[in-house]
Amino acid sequence: MPSTRDTTLLVAARITRLFAYGFLSVILALYLTEIGFSEAATGLLLTLTLAGDAVVSLWLTTTADRFGRRRTLVVGGALMAAGGAVFALTTDLTLLAVAATLGVISPTGKEIGPFLSIEQAALTEVVAPGRRTHAFAWYHFAGSLAAAAGALAGGVIAEALRGAGFSTVEAYRVLLIAYAVAGAVLVALFLGVSPAVEAAPAKVRGSEGPKVRGAGGLGRSFGLHRSRSIVMRLSGLFALDAFAGAFLVQSVLAYWFHVRFGIAEAAIGAILFGANLLAGLSALVAARLAARIGLVKTMVVTHLPSNVLLCLVPLMPTLGLAVAVLLVRFSISQMDVPTRQSYTVAVVAPDERSAAAGITTIARSVGAAMAPALSGVVMATSLAAPFFVSGGLKIVYDLLLYRSFRGLRPPEEIPPS
């Protein structure tokens, strides 16, 4: 992992943030019902957190390269601190709705807000091109471990506080205040990042050599100019991949194991923990493979067999075989994550990187949001159907990705002329 100060600060920010997201995901819905909100009101607030995040993230990420990446990250940290503070200090539905919409609140334990996209763009500026995928792999792995640790800590801390005499609501509020403090820590970390992370001016080549693109260049749309077509095509493909993956989210996978083999929740939790650990470790291997065969090929040659294995899981006759195939699948399933992220910021202009990462990330979120309702309908036809639909659509995505982008290589993969 590169050891520059900026890289260290950005990875520390991700660890801090994902740890906070992890413990918040455990208690947020419980807290809202505990303070008297109905399931419908709780669901509304959780929906507002996701919908508001999409809008705020789109706005911030598509302006970050011009407004300033450090400034935008500081704004994001402040919104996270404010959101956590409002949730901890009031039970007024209107104020909570505003905080859920405009603040940065993660009910899922996963990345939310503008941070991921802008940090990826910032890392690209301070890491050598040949080390970019390696840095992204460690960045992804560190966040995965932090989120898992945060989820574990959230339950342990809440239980310990109740054991120390706190009421359930008071225990949850302590965690919400800790979430707000984590947002303040992010602000401090981002203030320490150097100007080196900012977007370099876009260059275009003319008869007189490189020129800086100014206001008279190509018009911008959502922070994009010359890379607009590339980003739109990537966004469509990434939305398809996320849509396919959302047919088989962890809750559906857990339900399948329980119904198919009758195993208890603890055993399911152990299986999913092992699967997620292997998935996180697989991201670290991706950088080495990408250095040998390229980013696009790494995405396809690892993702394609993992999706074939996904289709095979429901065909296994015993629990042991089903778990074994699933674990093998997860051992290669996430190798496309750092390579996908690295490729996205590599093939666009420097001053489009935050926007490109933000738009493709939001496209994935929109794609994923469309599938869960359909997943239940599909599962009603056959318990195994979500595996086949998810794996099949992901295979289509892999083939389309290779066909569309095999000829577009990032700069570090192009031999010098």
Side-chain angles (χ1 to χ4, degrees), residues 27 152-168 170-172 174-175:
I27 60 96
L152 180 64
V156 172
I157 293 172
E159 189 171 325
L161 289 171
R162 285 197 299 270
F166 286 74
S167 69
T168 299
E170 289 171 339
Y172 292 161
V174 169
L175 288 168

Side-chain angles (χ1 to χ4, degrees), residues 32 35 37 45 86-88 90-101:
L32 292 173
I35 61 176
F37 288 115
L45 287 171
V86 171
F87 268 73
T90 185
T91 60
D92 182 84
L93 180 59
T94 302
L95 291 176
L96 290 175
V98 172
T101 304

Side-chain angles (χ1 to χ4, degrees), residues 59-76 118 198-199:
W59 173 52
L60 291 178
T61 56
T62 55
T63 59
D65 288 339
R66 286 165 288 159
F67 177 68
R69 291 170 181 166
R70 289 177 299 164
R71 283 191 229 171
T72 307
L73 289 169
V74 168
V75 170
I118 301 173
E198 300 295 352

Side-chain angles (χ1 to χ4, degrees), residues 254-269:
Y255 176 79
W256 182 83
F257 270 107
H258 178 72
V259 174
R260 175 70 175 81
F261 296 107
I263 59 176
E265 290 83 352
I268 295 171

